[in-house]
Amino acid sequence: MSVVKINVLTVPAEQRETLEKRFASRAHAVESSDGFEWFELLRPVEGTDRYLVYTRWRDEESFQAWTEGPMRTAHRDGDSENSDRPRPAASGATLWSFEVVQQAEPKQA
């Protein structure tokens, strides 16, 4: 069954627009990855400064292959060719991992 990865990003209010624009500008960067199933960027509504980046994968191996290839390339920083890279919009990040044990879809009318 699928695995879900939720990246919890702490984003100060003044950086929210920047974060959302960066995600929009990289739209479709993950969609062609083998084993990728779903992506959502969730904006906090009240009571928190944490965004959730929700991805769903066929299996753990598919997620690991993406993190070691395309994701690493997209997030590379600190090397000489990316020295002009803008600072991160998030001030902190935590990765949550889950296995899907049950799911439901809307019933067809």
Side-chain angles (χ1 to χ4, degrees):
M1 182 112 0
S2 300
V3 296
V4 170
K5 302 296 182 172
I6 300 173
N7 197 1
V8 183
L9 303 176
T10 302
V11 182
E14 66 275 7
Q15 291 293 337
R16 286 180 164 200
E17 185 177 347
T18 299
L19 178 90
E20 291 178 23
K21 284 181 179 179
R22 287 182 185 169
F23 269 94
S25 72
R26 56 149 294 284
H28 312 295
V30 69
E31 286 90 328
S32 61
S33 296
D34 184 48
F36 170 79
E37 296 179 353
W38 198 260
F39 163 85
E40 291 178 323
L41 175 62
L42 306 175
R43 176 192 301 139
V45 176
E46 59 185 37
T48 186
D49 59 355
R50 294 186 178 138
Y51 276 72
L52 301 181
V53 182
Y54 174 101
T55 58
R56 183 171 167 150
W57 300 86
R58 177 181 57 229
D59 50 35
E60 182 67 25
E61 293 76 21
S62 297
F63 173 74
Q64 291 301 326
W66 177 72
T67 62
E68 294 167 9
M71 192 277 299
R72 181 170 295 199
T73 300
H75 289 86
R76 187 180 328 162
D77 58 18
D79 62 17
S80 59
E81 70 181 306
N82 289 320
S83 61
D84 294 333
R85 185 180 179 99
R87 295 182 56 114
S91 61
T94 302
L95 183 64
W96 295 345
S97 298
F98 299 89
E99 291 180 335
V100 176
V101 293
Q102 293 183 23
Q103 63 186 25
E105 296 178 358
K107 291 184 179 184
Q108 300 298 320

